Amino acid sequence: MDLNTVLQILDSTIRLGTPLLLACLAGLFSERAGIFDIGLEGKMLAAAFLSAAAAFVTGDVWLGLAAGIFAALLMSAIHGLASITFRGNQLISGVAINFLASGLTVLLGQYWFALGGRTPSLEGAARFSPITLWGAEALREVPVIGPIYYELISGHTALVYVAVAMVPLSAWLLYRTRFGLRLRAVGENPAAVDTAGVSVVGIRFAAVAICGVLTGLAGAYLATGLSAGFVKEMTAGRGYIALAALIFAKWRPWYALGATMLFGFLEAISNRYQNIDLGGIVIPVQFMQALPYILTVVILAGFVGKATPPRAGGEPYVKER
């Protein structure tokens, strides 16, 4: 395997791991505040649809991005209202959001565009274009360093760089700010936070809103960056994979980067190598395509008992009187 092949696989890993990373960080903020969110899949799907629809109608990908974030925030508001205000079951609320997004995107897609639930293909300014970083062309011919910088670091869309930047930003916000301390405390002992005069409901709604913004970015990237439009169920279980990666990462931002890139790497391998010959034993394409989902099951089976979630996670807070 030569350097170009390795760089192509790693480049695909970054592109495919980006929506997982954004969704994983979204779940991290929500669950650190004690709100379990199985609805990541539905939020991403709603954001992907509305961002593609708005980008096609307006011809502006940034307006599409804003529409995608709005769709995810709307889904987050529903989840927050059900699980925080009305103290409903968080898991059921998340599942309901997934079903709602799955049906609503197809219904609106068919009603608006009459293309079987998908949007028309996006072109030009309606899509995110790759960004060539400074010096990439000049360094292209330099051995080893040039191809790495030109092929692997440069040439991604804006949302890829945003996703990578969100990792240190999330770590700083969670571990170096007063808001992060309160958010983590709400997920561990909300009664103590309430006693200190901090609004548990306010912190949890803020965490759910951050989750909405990040899933909006993830969904918009799927439809306007990674693909050229919306197709039915295009998230393909990425929300659930992000949750598995979150457990694997033990609810830590830097670990989340490694976990999601691992899933992205497996998907990149399955896309590039349809069949692998291991000395007479041929691994079929179906197994390669199922690799990310198999790893999801393995991680959940092997790490769910070792990774300790926030103690107040999944429990509605009832203020003592």
Side-chain angles (χ1 to χ4, degrees):
M1 186 181 294
D2 58 9
L3 178 61
N4 286 334
T5 302
V6 172
L7 290 178
Q8 288 172 7
I9 293 175
L10 293 179
D11 181 71
S12 296
T13 297
I14 294 173
R15 297 177 191 273
L16 295 169
T18 293
L20 297 177
L21 175 59
L22 288 167
C24 187
L25 292 175
L28 186 149
F29 276 98
S30 182
E31 297 197 6
R32 276 287 192 175
I35 304 297
F36 287 163
D37 197 351
I38 291 183
L40 295 178
E41 179 87 0
K43 293 174 185 177
M44 291 172 63
L45 194 62
F49 170 74
L50 200 58
S51 64
F56 173 76
V57 172
T58 63
D60 190 332
V61 69
W62 295 103
L63 291 177
L65 175 62
I69 293 175
F70 170 77
L73 280 172
L74 184 60
M75 292 291 180
S76 290
I78 295 173
H79 183 55
L81 192 66
S83 59
I84 300 173
T85 303
F86 296 112
R87 301 168 188 159
N89 188 291
Q90 297 173 11
L91 301 181
I92 293 176
S93 174
V95 171
I97 287 174
N98 290 339
F99 281 122
L100 176 63
S102 178
L104 199 57
T105 52
V106 175
L107 178 65
L108 291 178
Q110 177 62 23
Y111 180 73
W112 288 348
F113 304 109
L115 293 173
R118 62 184 178 87
T119 63
S121 296
L122 303 178
E123 299 177 353
R127 286 194 66 196
F128 280 105
S129 300
I131 299 173
T132 301
L133 298 180
W134 179 86
E137 290 288 350
L139 294 173
R140 186 174 183 180
E141 302 303 324
V142 177
V144 183
I145 297 177
I148 291 176
Y149 184 61
Y150 182 82
E151 297 285 348
L152 189 59
I153 300 176
S154 179
H156 297 287
T157 60
L159 291 184
V160 173
Y161 298 111
V162 169
V164 174
M166 283 303 303
V167 176
L169 180 60
S170 298
W172 173 80
L173 188 62
L174 283 171
Y175 298 105
R176 294 290 185 269
T177 66
R178 180 178 298 178
F179 171 77
L181 174 62
R182 290 174 174 177
L183 187 145
R184 288 183 289 120
V186 164
E188 296 292 337
N189 192 343
V193 176
D194 192 19
T195 302
V198 178
S199 173
V200 173
V201 170
I203 293 292
R204 286 188 166 180
F205 265 111
V208 169
I210 294 173
C211 176
V213 172
L214 291 174
T215 48
L217 292 173
Y221 173 76
L222 281 175
T224 60
L226 191 62
S227 303
F230 175 85
V231 295
K232 180 182 178 182
E233 304 293 348
M234 74 178 305
T235 48
R238 285 182 173 88
Y240 302 111
I241 292 177
L243 285 174
L246 181 59
I247 295 172
F248 188 34
K250 298 181 180 179
W251 293 269
R252 295 172 182 265
W254 286 106
Y255 291 0
L257 175 62
T260 51
M261 289 303 134
L262 174 61
F263 281 103
F265 175 74
L266 288 178
E267 189 173 353
I269 290 292
S270 66
N271 289 341
R272 184 174 182 87
Y273 299 104
Q274 299 297 304
N275 295 293
I276 295 182
D277 189 351
L278 300 177
I281 301 176
V282 178
I283 300 178
V285 60
Q286 291 83 1
F287 179 82
M288 297 302 298
Q289 292 173 344
L291 263 180
Y293 305 98
I294 293 173
L295 182 62
T296 301
V297 175
V298 171
I299 285 177
L300 289 176
F303 290 90
V304 72
K306 300 177 182 178
T308 305
R311 286 184 296 176
E315 299 177 3
Y317 176 65
V318 180
K319 186 179 180 67
E320 296 182 2
R321 299 192 182 277

Tab-separated table of all heavy atoms in Angstrom, residues 142-191:
chain	number	residue	atom	x	y	z
A	142	VAL	N	6.557	18.681	-2.537
A	142	VAL	CA	7.542	18.322	-1.514
A	142	VAL	C	7.286	16.883	-1.065
A	142	VAL	O	6.152	16.521	-0.735
A	142	VAL	CB	7.453	19.282	-0.303
A	142	VAL	CG1	8.426	18.856	0.792
A	142	VAL	CG2	7.723	20.703	-0.746
A	143	PRO	N	8.309	16.027	-1.041
A	143	PRO	CA	8.098	14.623	-0.668
A	143	PRO	C	7.484	14.480	0.731
A	143	PRO	O	7.856	15.190	1.664
A	143	PRO	CB	9.513	14.033	-0.712
A	143	PRO	CG	10.259	14.933	-1.646
A	143	PRO	CD	9.689	16.304	-1.433
A	144	VAL	N	6.543	13.573	0.841
A	144	VAL	CA	5.873	13.163	2.080
A	144	VAL	C	5.069	14.319	2.716
A	144	VAL	O	3.845	14.253	2.807
A	144	VAL	CB	6.859	12.582	3.126
A	144	VAL	CG1	6.095	12.110	4.369
A	144	VAL	CG2	7.648	11.444	2.524
A	145	ILE	N	5.761	15.372	3.124
A	145	ILE	CA	5.066	16.475	3.811
A	145	ILE	C	4.062	17.144	2.879
A	145	ILE	O	2.935	17.457	3.286
A	145	ILE	CB	6.083	17.506	4.335
A	145	ILE	CG1	6.998	16.870	5.392
A	145	ILE	CG2	5.353	18.711	4.942
A	145	ILE	CD1	8.074	17.806	5.891
A	146	GLY	N	4.458	17.372	1.625
A	146	GLY	CA	3.585	18.041	0.669
A	146	GLY	C	2.274	17.302	0.439
A	146	GLY	O	1.193	17.894	0.595
A	147	PRO	N	2.332	16.006	0.072
A	147	PRO	CA	1.077	15.265	-0.124
A	147	PRO	C	0.214	15.183	1.126
A	147	PRO	O	-1.015	15.246	1.039
A	147	PRO	CB	1.563	13.868	-0.549
A	147	PRO	CG	2.903	14.097	-1.142
A	147	PRO	CD	3.495	15.225	-0.353
A	148	ILE	N	0.841	15.062	2.294
A	148	ILE	CA	0.067	14.993	3.539
A	148	ILE	C	-0.693	16.299	3.759
A	148	ILE	O	-1.884	16.304	4.079
A	148	ILE	CB	0.984	14.689	4.736
A	148	ILE	CG1	1.509	13.251	4.646
A	148	ILE	CG2	0.242	14.903	6.054
A	148	ILE	CD1	2.505	12.894	5.736
A	149	TYR	N	0.001	17.416	3.551
A	149	TYR	CA	-0.644	18.718	3.751
A	149	TYR	C	-1.698	18.980	2.681
A	149	TYR	O	-2.793	19.457	2.979
A	149	TYR	CB	0.418	19.816	3.736
A	149	TYR	CG	-0.133	21.200	4.026
A	149	TYR	CD1	-0.748	21.478	5.244
A	149	TYR	CD2	-0.036	22.216	3.086
A	149	TYR	CE1	-1.261	22.737	5.518
A	149	TYR	CE2	-0.538	23.480	3.349
A	149	TYR	CZ	-1.152	23.736	4.567
A	149	TYR	OH	-1.659	24.979	4.834
A	150	TYR	N	-1.363	18.658	1.428
A	150	TYR	CA	-2.278	18.958	0.326
A	150	TYR	C	-3.477	18.021	0.301
A	150	TYR	O	-4.624	18.464	0.113
A	150	TYR	CB	-1.527	18.870	-1.001
A	150	TYR	CG	-2.377	19.204	-2.205
A	150	TYR	CD1	-2.598	20.527	-2.569
A	150	TYR	CD2	-2.978	18.201	-2.964
A	150	TYR	CE1	-3.394	20.853	-3.656
A	150	TYR	CE2	-3.769	18.515	-4.056
A	150	TYR	CZ	-3.971	19.838	-4.400
A	150	TYR	OH	-4.763	20.153	-5.481
A	151	GLU	N	-3.251	16.729	0.484
A	151	GLU	CA	-4.330	15.745	0.348
A	151	GLU	C	-5.116	15.538	1.636
A	151	GLU	O	-6.338	15.351	1.602
A	151	GLU	CB	-3.748	14.392	-0.099
A	151	GLU	CG	-3.077	14.399	-1.450
A	151	GLU	CD	-4.068	14.442	-2.587
A	151	GLU	OE1	-5.272	14.228	-2.334
A	151	GLU	OE2	-3.652	14.700	-3.734
A	152	LEU	N	-4.422	15.565	2.778
A	152	LEU	CA	-5.059	15.166	4.034
A	152	LEU	C	-5.535	16.360	4.869
A	152	LEU	O	-6.645	16.335	5.401
A	152	LEU	CB	-4.086	14.321	4.857
A	152	LEU	CG	-4.649	13.630	6.100
A	152	LEU	CD1	-5.780	12.694	5.721
A	152	LEU	CD2	-3.558	12.875	6.838
A	153	ILE	N	-4.716	17.396	4.978
A	153	ILE	CA	-5.065	18.530	5.829
A	153	ILE	C	-5.862	19.571	5.059
A	153	ILE	O	-6.875	20.082	5.540
A	153	ILE	CB	-3.790	19.158	6.431
A	153	ILE	CG1	-3.047	18.113	7.272
A	153	ILE	CG2	-4.139	20.374	7.284
A	153	ILE	CD1	-1.722	18.595	7.829
A	154	SER	N	-5.430	19.880	3.860
A	154	SER	CA	-6.142	20.840	3.025
A	154	SER	C	-7.212	20.124	2.194
A	154	SER	O	-7.229	18.904	2.098
A	154	SER	CB	-5.144	21.556	2.100
A	154	SER	OG	-5.806	22.473	1.255
A	155	GLY	N	-8.106	20.919	1.599
A	155	GLY	CA	-9.068	20.358	0.656
A	155	GLY	C	-10.375	19.876	1.255
A	155	GLY	O	-11.155	19.204	0.567
A	156	HIS	N	-10.659	20.211	2.510
A	156	HIS	CA	-11.923	19.833	3.129
A	156	HIS	C	-12.881	21.017	3.124
A	156	HIS	O	-12.483	22.167	2.913
A	156	HIS	CB	-11.703	19.349	4.567
A	156	HIS	CG	-10.859	18.123	4.659
A	156	HIS	ND1	-11.318	16.879	4.298
A	156	HIS	CD2	-9.573	17.947	5.063
A	156	HIS	CE1	-10.362	15.983	4.480
A	156	HIS	NE2	-9.290	16.605	4.939
A	157	THR	N	-14.140	20.738	3.368
A	157	THR	CA	-15.129	21.817	3.438
A	157	THR	C	-15.051	22.501	4.803
A	157	THR	O	-14.432	21.990	5.743
A	157	THR	CB	-16.547	21.271	3.213
A	157	THR	OG1	-16.846	20.300	4.222
A	157	THR	CG2	-16.665	20.619	1.837
A	158	ALA	N	-15.713	23.654	4.894
A	158	ALA	CA	-15.633	24.461	6.113
A	158	ALA	C	-16.112	23.696	7.345
A	158	ALA	O	-15.533	23.823	8.429
A	158	ALA	CB	-16.451	25.742	5.934
A	159	LEU	N	-17.157	22.879	7.186
A	159	LEU	CA	-17.725	22.190	8.351
A	159	LEU	C	-16.791	21.119	8.909
A	159	LEU	O	-16.892	20.762	10.089
A	159	LEU	CB	-19.079	21.575	7.986
A	159	LEU	CG	-20.206	22.577	7.726
A	159	LEU	CD1	-21.523	21.860	7.468
A	159	LEU	CD2	-20.358	23.545	8.894
A	160	VAL	N	-15.886	20.606	8.097
A	160	VAL	CA	-14.899	19.649	8.604
A	160	VAL	C	-13.974	20.351	9.593
A	160	VAL	O	-13.692	19.839	10.687
A	160	VAL	CB	-14.091	19.026	7.451
A	160	VAL	CG1	-12.951	18.166	7.993
A	160	VAL	CG2	-14.985	18.190	6.557
A	161	TYR	N	-13.514	21.535	9.221
A	161	TYR	CA	-12.629	22.289	10.114
A	161	TYR	C	-13.380	22.768	11.352
A	161	TYR	O	-12.814	22.827	12.446
A	161	TYR	CB	-12.023	23.464	9.354
A	161	TYR	CG	-11.175	23.028	8.177
A	161	TYR	CD1	-11.589	23.275	6.874
A	161	TYR	CD2	-9.976	22.356	8.377
A	161	TYR	CE1	-10.820	22.861	5.789
A	161	TYR	CE2	-9.199	21.944	7.311
A	161	TYR	CZ	-9.630	22.192	6.012
A	161	TYR	OH	-8.869	21.765	4.954
A	162	VAL	N	-14.655	23.096	11.184
A	162	VAL	CA	-15.478	23.480	12.331
A	162	VAL	C	-15.596	22.312	13.306
A	162	VAL	O	-15.483	22.482	14.531
A	162	VAL	CB	-16.878	23.943	11.869
A	162	VAL	CG1	-17.824	24.085	13.073
A	162	VAL	CG2	-16.789	25.261	11.127
A	163	ALA	N	-15.822	21.107	12.770
A	163	ALA	CA	-15.963	19.918	13.619
A	163	ALA	C	-14.696	19.648	14.409
A	163	ALA	O	-14.744	19.351	15.613
A	163	ALA	CB	-16.331	18.705	12.761
A	164	VAL	N	-13.552	19.751	13.761
A	164	VAL	CA	-12.276	19.519	14.452
A	164	VAL	C	-12.051	20.598	15.515
A	164	VAL	O	-11.607	20.309	16.632
A	164	VAL	CB	-11.110	19.504	13.443
A	164	VAL	CG1	-9.774	19.402	14.175
A	164	VAL	CG2	-11.265	18.331	12.480
A	165	ALA	N	-12.374	21.847	15.188
A	165	ALA	CA	-12.203	22.932	16.149
A	165	ALA	C	-13.136	22.789	17.350
A	165	ALA	O	-12.831	23.274	18.447
A	165	ALA	CB	-12.447	24.282	15.463
A	166	MET	N	-14.270	22.117	17.161
A	166	MET	CA	-15.228	21.948	18.247
A	166	MET	C	-14.694	21.028	19.353
A	166	MET	O	-15.177	21.096	20.478
A	166	MET	CB	-16.545	21.384	17.714
A	166	MET	CG	-17.431	22.396	17.004
A	166	MET	SD	-17.850	23.812	18.052
A	166	MET	CE	-18.609	22.983	19.450
A	167	VAL	N	-13.703	20.203	19.042
A	167	VAL	CA	-13.174	19.279	20.063
A	167	VAL	C	-12.450	20.048	21.171
A	167	VAL	O	-12.818	19.933	22.348
A	167	VAL	CB	-12.264	18.207	19.418
A	167	VAL	CG1	-11.653	17.317	20.496
A	167	VAL	CG2	-13.048	17.366	18.411
A	168	PRO	N	-11.415	20.843	20.854
A	168	PRO	CA	-10.785	21.621	21.942
A	168	PRO	C	-11.723	22.653	22.545
A	168	PRO	O	-11.637	22.940	23.743
A	168	PRO	CB	-9.583	22.283	21.258
A	168	PRO	CG	-9.910	22.290	19.803
A	168	PRO	CD	-10.721	21.064	19.563
A	169	LEU	N	-12.619	23.218	21.721
A	169	LEU	CA	-13.571	24.194	22.251
A	169	LEU	C	-14.508	23.540	23.264
A	169	LEU	O	-14.798	24.124	24.320
A	169	LEU	CB	-14.372	24.805	21.100
A	169	LEU	CG	-15.416	25.864	21.492
A	169	LEU	CD1	-14.757	27.039	22.193
A	169	LEU	CD2	-16.197	26.332	20.266
A	170	SER	N	-14.974	22.331	22.957
A	170	SER	CA	-15.853	21.614	23.888
A	170	SER	C	-15.116	21.254	25.177
A	170	SER	O	-15.668	21.374	26.274
A	170	SER	CB	-16.395	20.342	23.227
A	170	SER	OG	-17.178	20.646	22.098
A	171	ALA	N	-13.857	20.813	25.026
A	171	ALA	CA	-13.065	20.481	26.208
A	171	ALA	C	-12.850	21.703	27.088
A	171	ALA	O	-12.960	21.632	28.323
A	171	ALA	CB	-11.721	19.892	25.771
A	172	TRP	N	-12.562	22.843	26.461
A	172	TRP	CA	-12.384	24.082	27.233
A	172	TRP	C	-13.682	24.494	27.907
A	172	TRP	O	-13.690	24.872	29.087
A	172	TRP	CB	-11.891	25.189	26.296
A	172	TRP	CG	-11.840	26.536	26.958
A	172	TRP	CD1	-10.869	27.016	27.792
A	172	TRP	CD2	-12.834	27.575	26.862
A	172	TRP	NE1	-11.191	28.290	28.217
A	172	TRP	CE2	-12.382	28.659	27.662
A	172	TRP	CE3	-14.039	27.694	26.169
A	172	TRP	CZ2	-13.109	29.838	27.785
A	172	TRP	CZ3	-14.765	28.862	26.288
A	172	TRP	CH2	-14.302	29.920	27.088
A	173	LEU	N	-14.783	24.421	27.174
A	173	LEU	CA	-16.067	24.846	27.718
A	173	LEU	C	-16.495	23.969	28.889
A	173	LEU	O	-17.012	24.464	29.900
A	173	LEU	CB	-17.131	24.807	26.615
A	173	LEU	CG	-18.508	25.402	26.946
A	173	LEU	CD1	-18.380	26.881	27.264
A	173	LEU	CD2	-19.468	25.193	25.783
A	174	LEU	N	-16.256	22.670	28.785
A	174	LEU	CA	-16.699	21.749	29.828
A	174	LEU	C	-15.801	21.767	31.064
A	174	LEU	O	-16.295	21.605	32.187
A	174	LEU	CB	-16.763	20.326	29.272
A	174	LEU	CG	-17.957	19.992	28.378
A	174	LEU	CD1	-17.771	18.628	27.726
A	174	LEU	CD2	-19.261	20.010	29.170
A	175	TYR	N	-14.492	21.952	30.870
A	175	TYR	CA	-13.562	21.775	31.980
A	175	TYR	C	-12.865	23.052	32.432
A	175	TYR	O	-12.144	23.043	33.419
A	175	TYR	CB	-12.494	20.739	31.602
A	175	TYR	CG	-13.072	19.375	31.332
A	175	TYR	CD1	-13.182	18.900	30.027
A	175	TYR	CD2	-13.524	18.563	32.376
A	175	TYR	CE1	-13.716	17.647	29.765
A	175	TYR	CE2	-14.060	17.320	32.119
A	175	TYR	CZ	-14.156	16.865	30.816
A	175	TYR	OH	-14.697	15.629	30.562
A	176	ARG	N	-13.091	24.168	31.713
A	176	ARG	CA	-12.382	25.401	32.073
A	176	ARG	C	-13.308	26.593	32.300
A	176	ARG	O	-12.836	27.706	32.509
A	176	ARG	CB	-11.355	25.758	30.972
A	176	ARG	CG	-10.208	24.776	30.832
A	176	ARG	CD	-9.277	24.860	32.030
A	176	ARG	NE	-8.106	23.999	31.860
A	176	ARG	CZ	-8.033	22.755	32.266
A	176	ARG	NH1	-9.075	22.204	32.880
A	176	ARG	NH2	-6.941	22.048	32.097
A	177	THR	N	-14.605	26.375	32.242
A	177	THR	CA	-15.533	27.496	32.430
A	177	THR	C	-16.535	27.179	33.537
A	177	THR	O	-16.774	26.008	33.878
A	177	THR	CB	-16.312	27.801	31.131
A	177	THR	OG1	-17.177	26.697	30.819
A	177	THR	CG2	-15.373	28.039	29.971
A	178	ARG	N	-17.135	28.221	34.072
A	178	ARG	CA	-18.148	28.055	35.117
A	178	ARG	C	-19.370	27.325	34.551
A	178	ARG	O	-19.968	26.484	35.222
A	178	ARG	CB	-18.550	29.420	35.662
A	178	ARG	CG	-19.606	29.356	36.760
A	178	ARG	CD	-19.933	30.742	37.283
A	178	ARG	NE	-18.756	31.362	37.893
A	178	ARG	CZ	-18.760	32.585	38.395
A	178	ARG	NH1	-19.861	33.331	38.350
A	178	ARG	NH2	-17.667	33.089	38.930
A	179	PHE	N	-19.734	27.668	33.314
A	179	PHE	CA	-20.875	27.001	32.684
A	179	PHE	C	-20.632	25.499	32.571
A	179	PHE	O	-21.518	24.679	32.847
A	179	PHE	CB	-21.134	27.598	31.305
A	179	PHE	CG	-22.155	26.838	30.494
A	179	PHE	CD1	-23.512	26.962	30.762
A	179	PHE	CD2	-21.751	25.983	29.470
A	179	PHE	CE1	-24.449	26.249	30.028
A	179	PHE	CE2	-22.679	25.276	28.726
A	179	PHE	CZ	-24.036	25.406	29.005
A	180	GLY	N	-19.428	25.110	32.161
A	180	GLY	CA	-19.111	23.690	32.032
A	180	GLY	C	-19.153	22.966	33.362
A	180	GLY	O	-19.628	21.823	33.450
A	181	LEU	N	-18.652	23.624	34.404
A	181	LEU	CA	-18.692	23.024	35.741
A	181	LEU	C	-20.136	22.798	36.180
A	181	LEU	O	-20.482	21.726	36.704
A	181	LEU	CB	-17.970	23.930	36.735
A	181	LEU	CG	-18.031	23.514	38.211
A	181	LEU	CD1	-17.358	22.163	38.407
A	181	LEU	CD2	-17.376	24.581	39.094
A	182	ARG	N	-20.973	23.785	35.946
A	182	ARG	CA	-22.382	23.650	36.328
A	182	ARG	C	-23.078	22.581	35.494
A	182	ARG	O	-23.890	21.819	36.023
A	182	ARG	CB	-23.081	24.997	36.158
A	182	ARG	CG	-22.643	26.036	37.182
A	182	ARG	CD	-23.246	27.410	36.882
A	182	ARG	NE	-22.936	28.368	37.940
A	182	ARG	CZ	-23.284	29.644	37.903
A	182	ARG	NH1	-23.950	30.128	36.855
A	182	ARG	NH2	-22.970	30.446	38.914
A	183	LEU	N	-22.756	22.538	34.215
A	183	LEU	CA	-23.383	21.539	33.349
A	183	LEU	C	-23.033	20.123	33.804
A	183	LEU	O	-23.900	19.248	33.900
A	183	LEU	CB	-22.944	21.768	31.908
A	183	LEU	CG	-23.621	20.916	30.821
A	183	LEU	CD1	-23.792	21.733	29.548
A	183	LEU	CD2	-22.791	19.676	30.493
A	184	ARG	N	-21.752	19.899	34.101
A	184	ARG	CA	-21.342	18.572	34.562
A	184	ARG	C	-21.939	18.247	35.925
A	184	ARG	O	-22.305	17.105	36.204
A	184	ARG	CB	-19.812	18.487	34.609
A	184	ARG	CG	-19.182	18.438	33.227
A	184	ARG	CD	-17.663	18.279	33.288
A	184	ARG	NE	-16.993	19.472	33.764
A	184	ARG	CZ	-16.233	19.527	34.846
A	184	ARG	NH1	-16.051	18.430	35.589
A	184	ARG	NH2	-15.647	20.639	35.214
A	185	ALA	N	-22.061	19.262	36.775
A	185	ALA	CA	-22.644	19.043	38.099
A	185	ALA	C	-24.122	18.690	38.000
A	185	ALA	O	-24.628	17.862	38.769
A	185	ALA	CB	-22.447	20.289	38.955
A	186	VAL	N	-24.827	19.315	37.053
A	186	VAL	CA	-26.244	19.007	36.858
A	186	VAL	C	-26.423	17.550	36.452
A	186	VAL	O	-27.396	16.897	36.855
A	186	VAL	CB	-26.847	19.954	35.790
A	186	VAL	CG1	-28.184	19.428	35.290
A	186	VAL	CG2	-27.026	21.343	36.377
A	187	GLY	N	-25.483	17.016	35.684
A	187	GLY	CA	-25.572	15.618	35.282
A	187	GLY	C	-25.227	14.642	36.381
A	187	GLY	O	-25.588	13.466	36.306
A	188	GLU	N	-24.530	15.125	37.413
A	188	GLU	CA	-24.127	14.249	38.514
A	188	GLU	C	-25.027	14.405	39.742
A	188	GLU	O	-25.467	13.412	40.329
A	188	GLU	CB	-22.670	14.547	38.902
A	188	GLU	CG	-21.650	14.241	37.827
A	188	GLU	CD	-21.519	12.756	37.544
A	188	GLU	OE1	-21.854	11.944	38.429
A	188	GLU	OE2	-21.091	12.411	36.429
A	189	ASN	N	-25.297	15.650	40.124
A	189	ASN	CA	-26.085	15.901	41.330
A	189	ASN	C	-26.881	17.193	41.158
A	189	ASN	O	-26.478	18.257	41.648
A	189	ASN	CB	-25.159	15.996	42.550
A	189	ASN	CG	-25.926	15.966	43.856
A	189	ASN	OD1	-27.148	16.180	43.896
A	189	ASN	ND2	-25.226	15.721	44.950
A	190	PRO	N	-28.006	17.137	40.472
A	190	PRO	CA	-28.775	18.363	40.213
A	190	PRO	C	-29.295	19.034	41.472
A	190	PRO	O	-29.452	20.261	41.509
A	190	PRO	CB	-29.928	17.875	39.331
A	190	PRO	CG	-30.018	16.404	39.571
A	190	PRO	CD	-28.631	15.959	39.865
A	191	ALA	N	-29.558	18.257	42.520
A	191	ALA	CA	-30.061	18.848	43.762
A	191	ALA	C	-29.031	19.789	44.371
A	191	ALA	O	-29.383	20.867	44.889
A	191	ALA	CB	-30.433	17.750	44.746
